[in-house]
Amino acid sequence: MIEACKLLNEAWSPKFVIIVAQKNHHTKFFQSGSPNNIPPGTIIDNKVCHPRNNDFYLCAHAGMIGTTRPTHYHVLLDEVGFSPDELQELVHNLSYVYQRSTTAISIVAPVSYAHLAATQVGQWMKFEDASETSSSHGGLTNAGPVTVPQLPRLQENVASSMFFC
């Protein structure tokens, strides 16, 4: 991404914050002496987190009893210089800006939007196995490169805006 910015303008050097959101893990948190979930907005950043890496768990959403699972966030790069509290607050606030929900969602909105965009692109593209040993082709091989269909053209009123369906 940094190299792409340099290609656009050699003098442009934006600062990046790169955070990986891990939804699939086996960690759950419970309130001591209570059958209820931990409250929405709970952040765990010590005891069970890595002692030297910048990581934390955030349970941003409310769920049925025993069903909420926090998201584990790993901060890989922070050129801006956020304090841990500022970064955690930013991530928590991003859980509330998903336009399909009026409450917090379990993972930050940009990740949900990326998932929607990938799903939509997947509807337009087919990936074919060009392997000669593939059993799905019945032993036949593809001659030449796999063609990728063109995506549909956007209408002028949305061509220069960001939208998600």
Side-chain angles (χ1 to χ4, degrees), residues 113-135:
Y113 288 139
H115 180 71
L116 284 174
T119 301
Q120 287 183 346
V121 168
Q123 292 176 356
W124 296 103
M125 297 181 71
K126 284 188 177 181
F127 296 99
E128 294 184 18
D129 184 8
S131 169
E132 292 181 19
T133 60
S134 173
S135 61

Side-chain angles (χ1 to χ4, degrees), residues 16-48:
F16 287 94
V17 176
I18 300 174
I19 304 171
V20 173
Q22 180 184 6
K23 184 69 177 153
N24 295 328
H25 54 76
H26 300 289
T27 307
K28 282 186 134 186
F29 297 104
F30 300 95
Q31 294 188 51
S32 179
S34 173
N36 296 328
N37 291 324
I38 56 176
T42 300
I43 293 178
I44 294 93
D45 62 357
N46 58 19
K47 307 246 187 211
V48 295

Side-chain angles (χ1 to χ4, degrees), residues 9-160:
N9 183 346
E10 190 65 36
W12 187 37
S13 182
K15 294 183 180 185
F16 287 94
V17 176
I18 300 174
I19 304 171
V20 173
Q22 180 184 6
K23 184 69 177 153
N24 295 328
H25 54 76
H26 300 289
T27 307
K28 282 186 134 186
F29 297 104
F30 300 95
Q31 294 188 51
S32 179
S34 173
N36 296 328
N37 291 324
I38 56 176
T42 300
I43 293 178
I44 294 93
D45 62 357
N46 58 19
K47 307 246 187 211
V48 295
C49 295
H50 196 278
R52 289 180 298 281
N53 294 347
N54 189 358
D55 66 326
F56 59 95
Y57 290 90
L58 168 63
C59 184
H61 66 294
M64 298 183 335
I65 293 177
T67 61
T68 59
R69 183 181 299 163
T71 303
H72 192 187
Y73 293 96
H74 304 267
V75 182
L76 302 181
L77 177 68
D78 180 9
E79 294 180 336
V80 175
F82 285 115
S83 72
D85 289 339
E86 291 171 333
L87 196 57
Q88 292 165 4
E89 183 178 359
L90 171 66
V91 170
H92 183 234
N93 290 341
L94 285 173
S95 300
Y96 284 91
V97 297
Y98 188 59
Q99 75 184 63
R100 291 184 171 188
S101 176
T102 58
T103 61
I105 58 174
S106 62
I107 199 158
V108 292
V111 172
S112 296
Y113 288 139
H115 180 71
L116 284 174
T119 301
Q120 287 183 346
V121 168
Q123 292 176 356
W124 296 103
M125 297 181 71
K126 284 188 177 181
F127 296 99
E128 294 184 18
D129 184 8
S131 169
E132 292 181 19
T133 60
S134 173
S135 61
S136 64
H137 291 295
L140 300 175
T141 60
N142 234 353
V146 176
T147 59
V148 177
Q150 289 291 322
L151 293 175
R153 294 191 56 84
L154 296 175
Q155 293 186 11
E156 292 298 321
N157 60 344
V158 295
S160 63

